[in-house]
């Protein structure tokens, strides 16, 4: 049997969207987006053009539709904007790209995340066969198979991993200053306000826009119905993705309101209240809970406590698989709390936990480098290959696909900017911190927490993490420069530096 080469990256495709047929408009939008990005860079400042090229593609390009070319990953609503902004900045501006992180640990994690695919491919060359017994004698007949991975898959996966990191690396260089951080929050808020219009339309008339414009529905329509109404999805993979984005937009609006002069603050708070209403209408319990916890903190609590809470979020997200493997997560207590809120939500959460248990057992067979792509990490019927367990959380998808090496590379790279800012707070306090950094840390931290439940890793997450990392590296460089000045001004310190 011959298998055509395709990328082995785990694509988060709905089990209900196996036979999607995007119309020509969907592919036309993908084709013209590089020219849209070029127009943005010609008419907007670089920081704003970078953010809106990626944010606009994420919000408005068709989900699931992609161009499948030989030996390269699929070109879709994520990879096309990422590649476009990289080429435009490299070839069309005077800016000199400095993509490599100044932090040694960040560089190590980038290498680990990108090249974790190599041992994954090399240890998964065997196909997975599905066989059934036919006739009265115990004779096994092949029914289906998942292909083994070959050397030619390595290039595709490496390219895919590098394209995924483009927003992270560009944001680290170009969005790390105070103006870049503010532009990021402003774009999230404006993006939420713009997206609220089609969202409210779908809440009232049902999710139809992707079908009308791009010719297909990207998920299960039944999952868009909740409490006698509809949840909006617009052009995102699922209603949960839209809800977490609205939560991010709300937090951004509140952060901007806090720094707005008192005489104009009521206007920003009015926008935040509007976004809060839209979030409530999205009917996503987790995103509403995030907002209830974080909106008062962003509005009222000092930055140092916001940073500390973000560090807690990141630490929990990183060590969660270890706790699950050790049986230290109190699943029964969590389900009991969910049952007290909503029986339906408790049932959904229990189903997720059951899936995680089965997928963890599957991942334990290849813990270090995982099973690779093609859905090899999933639980399947041994006789016909039908999928019996569908992963929800990003962590279990990455853990099963790339093992501990890939998981620690991805989650470590997202968590590192938060930990570096926490380290700066410990050493230097909150004096001199940008007023925009604490809410961005909370946005990144709560997104990482949500990735334990859903596969909500998006280019916006990488943009946020990269901007925070660049800001942390800038603070570290300033601290080292100040230390050098103090040493030069103090003869005792100069002598000690000479001795050591």
């Amino acid at each position: 049997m011959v298998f055509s080469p395709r990328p082995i990256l785990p694509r988060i495709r709905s089990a209900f969207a196996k036979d999607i047929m995007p119309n020509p408009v969907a592919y036309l939008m993908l084709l013209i987006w590089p020219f849209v990005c070029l127009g943005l860079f010609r008419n907007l400042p670089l920081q704003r053009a970078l953010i809106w090229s990626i944010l606009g593609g994420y919000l408005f390009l068709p989900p699931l539709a992609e161009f499948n070319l030989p030996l390269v990953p699929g070109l879709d609503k994520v990879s096309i904007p990422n590649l476009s902004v990289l080429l435009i900045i490299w070839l069309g501006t005077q800016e000199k790209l400095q993509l490599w992180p100044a932090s040694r640990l960040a560089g190590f994690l980038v290498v680990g995340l990108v090249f974790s695919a190599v041992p994954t491919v090399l240890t998964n060359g065997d196909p997975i066969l599905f066989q059934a017994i036919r006739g009265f004698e115990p004779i096994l007949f092949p029914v289906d198979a998942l292909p083994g991975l070959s050397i030619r898959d390595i290039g595709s996966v490496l390219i895919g991993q590098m394209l995924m990191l483009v927003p992270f690396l560009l944001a680290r260089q170009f969005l790390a200053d105070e103006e870049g951080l503010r532009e990021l929050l402003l774009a999230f808020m404006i993006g939420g306000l713009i997206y609220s219009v089609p969202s409210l339309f779908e809440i009232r008339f049902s999710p139809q826009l992707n079908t009308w414009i791009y010719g297909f529905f990207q998920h299960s329509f039944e999952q868009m119905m909740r409490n006698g109404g509809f949840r909006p999805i617009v052009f995102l993979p699922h209603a949960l993705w839209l809800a977490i984005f609205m939560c991010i937009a709300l937090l951004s609006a509140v952060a901007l309101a806090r720094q707005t002069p008192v005489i104009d603050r009521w206007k920003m708070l009015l926008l935040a209240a509007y976004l809060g209403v839209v979030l409530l209408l999205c009917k996503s319990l987790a995103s509403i809970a995030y907002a209830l916890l974080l909106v008062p903190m962003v509005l009222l609590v000092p930055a140092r406590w916001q940073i500390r809470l973000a560090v807690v979020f990141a630490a929990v997200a990183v060590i969660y698989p270890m706790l699950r493997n050790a049986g230290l997560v109190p699943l029964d207590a969590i389900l009991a709390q969910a049952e007290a809120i909503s029986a339906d939500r408790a049932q959904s959460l229990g189903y997720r936990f059951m899936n995680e248990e089965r997928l963890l057992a599957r991942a334990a067979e290849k813990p270090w480098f995982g099973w690779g792509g093609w859905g090899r990490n999933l639980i399947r019927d041994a006789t016909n290959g039908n999928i019996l367990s569908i992963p929800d959380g990003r962590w279990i998808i990455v853990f099963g696909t790339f093992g501990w090496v890939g998981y620690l590379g991805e989650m470590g790279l997202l968590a590192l900017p938060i930990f570096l800012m926490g380290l700066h707070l410990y050493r230097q306090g909150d004096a001199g911190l940008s007023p925009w950094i604490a809410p961005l840390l909370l946005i990144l931290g709560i997104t990482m927490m949500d990735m334990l439940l859903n596969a909500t890793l998006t280019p916006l997450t990488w943009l946020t993490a990269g901007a925070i990392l660049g800001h942390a590296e800038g603070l570290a460089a300033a601290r080292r420069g100040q230390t050098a000045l103090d040493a030069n001004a103090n003869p005792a310190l100069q002598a000690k530096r000479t001795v050591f």
Side-chain angles (χ1 to χ4, degrees):
M1 184 178 294
V2 178
F3 298 94
S4 60
R6 292 180 58 193
I8 68 166
L9 281 175
R11 300 194 177 278
I12 315 306
R13 289 181 177 271
S14 167
F16 306 98
K18 295 178 181 178
D19 301 315
I20 62 167
M21 291 295 293
N23 61 22
V25 176
Y27 291 109
L28 179 62
M29 283 294 294
L30 294 176
L31 283 173
I32 68 173
W33 195 254
F35 300 99
V36 174
C37 296
L38 183 60
L40 291 173
F41 275 91
R42 294 191 64 176
N43 293 282
L44 297 176
L46 187 144
Q47 289 180 332
R48 192 167 294 177
L50 169 60
I51 295 170
W52 279 102
S53 294
I54 293 173
L55 175 60
Y58 173 70
L59 293 180
F60 295 106
L61 288 180
L64 303 182
E66 63 183 15
F67 294 107
N68 279 316
L69 304 177
L71 302 178
V72 295
L75 298 176
D76 57 14
K77 70 181 294 174
V78 173
S79 56
I80 287 176
N82 290 356
L83 181 60
S84 298
V85 296
L86 178 63
L87 293 177
I88 290 170
I89 294 176
W90 179 33
L91 301 175
T93 71
Q94 300 298 317
E95 299 290 341
K96 183 179 180 181
L97 289 176
Q98 297 175 347
L99 299 181
W100 193 250
S103 166
R104 293 181 181 178
L105 182 53
F108 175 78
L109 290 171
V110 167
V111 172
L113 176 56
V114 171
F115 288 96
S116 63
V118 176
T120 296
V121 170
L122 296 179
T123 55
N124 284 281
D126 53 315
I128 299 176
L129 304 177
F130 304 104
Q131 299 173 318
I133 298 177
R134 300 284 179 84
F136 296 101
E137 297 184 12
I139 300 177
L140 294 177
F141 288 83
V143 176
D144 199 356
L146 294 176
L149 309 180
S150 63
I151 298 298
R152 63 184 180 181
D153 289 313
I154 292 178
S156 173
V157 182
L158 292 181
I159 294 171
Q161 298 287 71
M162 288 187 286
L163 282 178
M164 179 179 69
L165 289 177
V166 164
F168 175 81
L169 298 174
L170 292 179
R172 176 202 152 268
Q173 179 178 354
F174 297 110
L175 302 180
D177 60 8
E178 187 159 328
E179 183 62 29
L181 299 177
R182 183 182 181 277
E183 283 288 338
L184 201 55
L185 288 168
L186 185 63
F188 289 160
M189 183 192 73
I190 295 175
L193 293 172
I194 294 172
Y195 226 55
S196 69
V197 177
S199 298
L200 290 173
F201 175 86
E202 291 198 339
I203 290 169
R204 175 62 182 85
F205 296 104
S206 82
Q208 298 290 344
L209 292 176
N210 202 85
T211 303
W212 292 348
I213 296 174
Y214 293 132
F216 68 97
F217 192 72
Q218 63 267 49
H219 210 279
S220 165
F221 193 85
E222 289 76 12
Q223 292 193 22
M224 303 306 112
M225 295 187 290
R226 177 70 57 82
N227 299 332
F230 297 104
R231 299 195 292 180
I233 184 171
V234 193
F235 308 122
L236 298 185
H238 193 281
L240 297 174
W241 272 246
L242 194 150
I244 190 66
F245 175 68
M246 283 298 170
C247 179
I248 291 171
L250 170 59
L251 294 175
S252 300
V254 172
L256 292 166
R258 180 168 179 170
Q259 302 303 323
T260 301
V262 175
I263 193 171
D264 294 321
R265 189 171 298 168
W266 67 271
K267 301 176 184 177
M268 296 298 297
L269 290 175
L270 193 63
L271 293 176
Y274 168 73
L275 289 170
V277 172
V278 176
L279 176 60
L280 286 173
L281 294 175
C282 289
K283 303 180 183 72
S284 173
L285 183 60
S287 295
I288 294 172
Y290 303 151
L292 290 174
L293 171 65
L294 297 182
V295 165
M297 292 202 66
V298 172
L299 192 59
L300 303 172
V301 174
R304 60 182 179 274
W305 288 106
Q306 296 181 44
I307 295 173
R308 287 166 182 159
L309 181 59
V311 170
V312 172
F313 287 156
V316 171
V318 171
I319 66 174
Y320 180 79
M322 308 173 197
L323 299 177
R324 284 300 306 270
N325 280 325
L328 298 178
V329 178
L331 301 181
D332 293 337
I334 295 174
L335 288 175
Q337 291 294 324
E339 180 73 31
I341 299 173
S342 167
D344 289 340
R345 296 303 90 219
Q347 182 180 7
S348 175
L349 190 60
Y351 179 74
R352 289 169 183 259
F353 287 157
M354 180 192 69
N355 272 318
E356 285 182 2
E357 291 291 340
R358 302 176 68 186
L359 291 166
L360 276 172
R362 174 72 172 168
E365 299 176 32
K366 292 192 174 184
W368 291 109
F369 306 120
W371 286 93
W374 300 95
R376 294 164 56 92
N377 60 314
L378 303 179
I379 307 296
R380 293 175 178 267
D381 190 309
T383 61
N384 55 32
N386 290 339
I387 296 175
L388 302 178
S389 183
I390 299 176
D392 288 303
R394 173 72 183 182
W395 75 273
I396 192 63
I397 295 171
V398 176
F399 187 50
T401 304
F402 294 113
W404 278 114
V405 174
Y407 173 81
L408 292 175
E410 182 170 291
M411 294 298 285
L413 201 56
L414 291 171
L416 179 63
I418 299 178
F419 293 151
L420 289 178
M421 289 306 306
L423 184 63
H424 175 83
L425 181 69
Y426 175 76
R427 290 176 173 176
Q428 303 292 322
D430 57 359
L433 283 180
S434 167
W436 316 115
I437 195 67
L440 283 171
L441 284 165
L442 284 178
I443 287 172
L444 179 57
I446 207 63
T447 303
M448 292 184 67
M449 288 290 289
D450 194 66
M451 286 165 58
L452 301 179
L453 298 173
N454 306 298
T456 44
L457 177 63
T458 71
L460 312 186
T461 312
W462 288 116
L463 272 178
T464 306
I468 296 171
L469 176 64
H471 190 72
E473 290 177 346
L475 291 174
R479 187 169 62 248
R480 288 192 298 268
Q482 185 61 47
T483 302
L485 288 175
D486 292 343
N488 289 329
N490 189 322
L493 290 177
Q494 178 68 27
K496 182 180 294 187
R497 189 178 64 177
T498 303
V499 171
F500 289 98

